[in-house]
Amino acid sequence: MGGDFGPSVVVPGCAIARERYPDCRFVFFGDASEVRPLLARHPALEAVAEVEHTDVAVRMEDKPSQALRQGRRRSSMWMALEAVKTGRADMAVSAGNTGALMAMSKLCLRMMPGIERPALAAIWPTLRGESIVLDVGATIGADAEQLVSFALMGEAMARALFSLKRPTVGLLNIGVEEVKGLEYVRAAGQMLREGGLPIAYAGFIEGDDIGKGTVDVVVTEGFSGNIALKTAEGTAKQIAQYLRDAMGRSLFSKIGFLFAKGAFDTLKEKMDPRKSNGGVFLGLNGLVVKSHGGTDAEGYAAAVALGHHLARNGLMKKVADSVDHYQKDRASAQEQHPEVAHS
Amino acid sequence: MGGDFGPSVVVPGCAIARERYPDCRFVFFGDASEVRPLLARHPALEAVAEVEHTDVAVRMEDKPSQALRQGRRRSSMWMALEAVKTGRADMAVSAGNTGALMAMSKLCLRMMPGIERPALAAIWPTLRGESIVLDVGATIGADAEQLVSFALMGEAMARALFSLKRPTVGLLNIGVEEVKGLEYVRAAGQMLREGGLPIAYAGFIEGDDIGKGTVDVVVTEGFSGNIALKTAEGTAKQIAQYLRDAMGRSLFSKIGFLFAKGAFDTLKEKMDPRKSNGGVFLGLNGLVVKSHGGTDAEGYAAAVALGHHLARNGLMKKVADSVDHYQKDRASAQEQHPEVAHS
């Protein structure tokens, strides 16, 4: 069981999730001598939990290739994925090594037909609620085709997560006139606009549109997506620090802080990164949720809740249908206009 | 005279700058019938200002190619750049069309030898003070060579702007283990680490390191740089809105707000985007400062102050020396080990 803190976060996190979602059942893959005593402290969770012992764990510092060589089949990560593959579990949640999780997921669960590489979709709190941003770092250097598949998968996820009928989809781009975006972003924009896809494509958006919540689904290639996500996290921390510094500066501001404590608590909750913990790997034949490695029990519970919600709302089928539909459309376009396929 | 508000912002902005930097002199290129009456309201500025009339202006919505065709030679933008070229001015400041400004700058001032395309360098407020981030959108799809030249130019700018002897330079990358960065970012990292360059290269950094101020100079390709910048702006606005909402919610929080007004003012100042207004085009044979198009007089004054500071501290010479040094090193390496040049 991975993450920076292993079972000591995962088990209490699942205990919180169990309380909120009484229909959840859990299988823990890891060192039984660590997991069982922790479970004993949470009888309600223990009652719906199974433990599969293994003492092989992928370490946070392992390279994916290393993890695959050493940990395949016997590691807790692999076993959790296999439980999804065999249908024993509806989803796998891991706070472990992201690269290894992705590599193992691809190998164990395989990609959906027509999807080359997975995308990691994050939940981004916005002024209008929440948006989905993908890819935040699973695949770097995506091409136009891949961006279109990200759009389809993200849109399906927004339908499952936000219960929206027609979530809007934007393509992240830059606004300097001279150089309106990279070639492949422009090409993806054209495909989304003119491709007759069954999604509400809203055009290009810029970085500041993400926080505004201009669209429900923000599509971007993984390098820029990861940089956007981390930069936003950094900015939020920076402002929180400014705020703490400012409020502690004088007696007046300290008194003000006490009066406005409720307001600050609301703000803190709004900005709590644990609330939006959990990214989803899309494009796999199975639901895999990645929790932040450094999160606590509350954050881990949020990742479980995300997966639970998505499993309940048929994410896998929605994504598969969307992708399948697109593949068929393309195949028939290819038959009728072979040259289109190469455009 | 460009920007969203033209001379009505530029002239009062320069009046503020004139007050703060009494050694500045100004040449205004634009519609004299608009500029002169505005100048008349600021006698101290008027005393050190010249007006060069033209009624050709590049519009914000013009495409750069259009601007070049129509506005070349007779537009206020071109005339301002030519004043830099001929040595009449130490720098040009524009709030106009970014793409047109870049295209005209390249054509009028030309690139420094060995630099292919300019980089737009932004000043980024951090927890440790300020950092320089480049490129934030002048050049997209840079290669390893270009990232190295960005590093050299940004480092020279940090010496001029922050009076640092050995500013640290980091390369923006992503931390997902599987896919540690794009090829060209890795290649640039290697060149910076092993190339014997006279700069303090600190390695890869991630998006959240920007706000922390981990390094003095953040180097990235323009697409991801622009997305990082806009995303940070968006996040700052989002949190400011959360804060306003929270403080207005109850009587207690309103009272708290009044007590802590001084603290909030400090915070507001810290987060004031006008303070860090102004990007610098690096790599040109002349100093060109781009002000945000939608800024006000205070913001415009900050852009003038930035250029003034850089001109004072010999930015152009520092950048040219750095680039020149590198070119010579490369040329001699090429002579000695011709195969290195193609690596």
Side-chain angles (χ1 to χ4, degrees), chain B residues 222-244:
Chain B
F223 188 80
S224 41
N226 186 277
I227 284 174
L229 182 70
K230 292 273 174 72
T231 302
E233 285 172 7
T235 304
K237 278 185 197 160
Q238 184 182 354
I239 297 174
Q241 185 62 48
Y242 286 163
L243 189 57
R244 272 192 298 274

Side-chain angles (χ1 to χ4, degrees), chain B residues 207-258:
Chain B
D208 52 344
D209 287 303
I210 312 177
K212 280 185 202 161
T214 305
V215 292
D216 300 308
V217 182
V218 175
V219 174
T220 186
E221 167 275 337
F223 188 80
S224 41
N226 186 277
I227 284 174
L229 182 70
K230 292 273 174 72
T231 302
E233 285 172 7
T235 304
K237 278 185 197 160
Q238 184 182 354
I239 297 174
Q241 185 62 48
Y242 286 163
L243 189 57
R244 272 192 298 274
D245 290 351
M247 299 313 294
R249 194 157 294 171
S250 74
L251 183 61
F252 273 111
S253 61
K254 282 178 191 163
I255 294 171
F257 177 77
L258 289 178

Side-chain angles (χ1 to χ4, degrees), chain A residues 56 92 118 124 149 158 188 194 275:
Chain A
V56 181
W124 194 298
S149 71
E194 298 166 10
K275 273 182 54 184

Side-chain angles (χ1 to χ4, degrees), chain A residues 64 125-126 140 173-174 178-179 181-182 206 208 211 223 226 230 232 235 238 242 246-247 249 252 256 259-260 263 266-267, chain B residues 64 125-126 140 173-174 178-179 181-182 206 208 211 223 226 230 232 235 238 242 246-247 249 252 256 259-260 263 266-267:
Chain A
T126 75
I140 63 174
N173 201 345
I174 74 172
E178 164 88 327
V179 284
L182 296 165
E206 294 191 48
D208 52 343
F223 188 80
N226 187 278
K230 291 273 174 73
T235 304
Q238 184 182 357
Y242 285 165
M247 298 315 291
R249 193 159 294 172
F252 273 110
F259 268 101
T266 309
L267 182 68
Chain B
T126 74
I140 61 174
N173 202 345
I174 74 172
E178 165 88 327
V179 285
L182 296 165
E206 294 191 48
D208 52 344
F223 188 80
N226 186 277
K230 292 273 174 72
T235 304
Q238 184 182 354
Y242 286 163
M247 299 313 294
R249 194 157 294 171
F252 273 111
F259 268 101
T266 310
L267 181 69

Side-chain angles (χ1 to χ4, degrees), chain A residues 53-120:
Chain A
H53 174 76
T54 172
D55 45 19
V56 181
V58 176
R59 284 163 306 185
M60 294 306 264
E61 66 276 14
D62 284 350
K63 283 191 181 151
S65 51
Q66 221 176 342
L68 282 181
R69 260 199 318 277
Q70 297 168 352
R72 211 180 136 180
R73 313 232 176 263
R74 291 172 53 241
S75 69
S76 53
M77 193 180 271
W78 182 271
M79 288 166 76
L81 293 167
E82 216 158 45
V84 174
K85 190 182 182 183
T86 59
R88 181 177 179 191
D90 292 317
M91 59 158 163
V93 182
S94 171
N97 181 324
T98 310
L101 182 63
M102 188 174 97
M104 283 196 181
S105 299
K106 273 169 73 174
L107 197 65
C108 180
L109 297 169
R110 307 268 164 199
M111 302 307 300
M112 285 179 176
I115 302 292
E116 267 176 66
R117 287 185 288 177
L120 185 56

Side-chain angles (χ1 to χ4, degrees), chain A residues 216-298:
Chain A
D216 300 307
V217 182
V218 175
V219 174
T220 188
E221 167 276 333
F223 188 80
S224 42
N226 187 278
I227 285 174
L229 182 70
K230 291 273 174 73
T231 302
E233 283 172 6
T235 304
K237 278 186 198 162
Q238 184 182 357
I239 297 174
Q241 185 62 48
Y242 285 165
L243 189 58
R244 271 192 299 272
D245 290 350
M247 298 315 291
R249 193 159 294 172
S250 73
L251 183 61
F252 273 110
S253 60
K254 282 177 191 164
I255 294 171
F257 177 77
L258 289 178
F259 268 101
K261 180 124 196 348
F264 282 110
D265 287 346
T266 309
L267 182 68
K268 207 170 163 188
E269 210 196 300
K270 272 262 186 208
M271 287 175 62
D272 188 349
R274 296 177 306 176
K275 273 182 54 184
S276 45
N277 180 40
V280 180
F281 281 113
L282 295 175
L284 298 164
N285 294 308
L287 179 48
V288 180
V289 176
K290 170 70 181 75
S291 160
H292 203 292
T295 198
D296 62 6
E298 195 58 59

Side-chain angles (χ1 to χ4, degrees), chain A residues 7-8 11-12 15 19 34-46:
Chain A
S8 69
V11 173
E19 225 170 280
E34 283 188 63
V35 177
R36 291 217 176 272
L38 285 162
L39 270 181
R41 296 191 213 162
H42 302 282
L45 174 63
E46 198 178 24

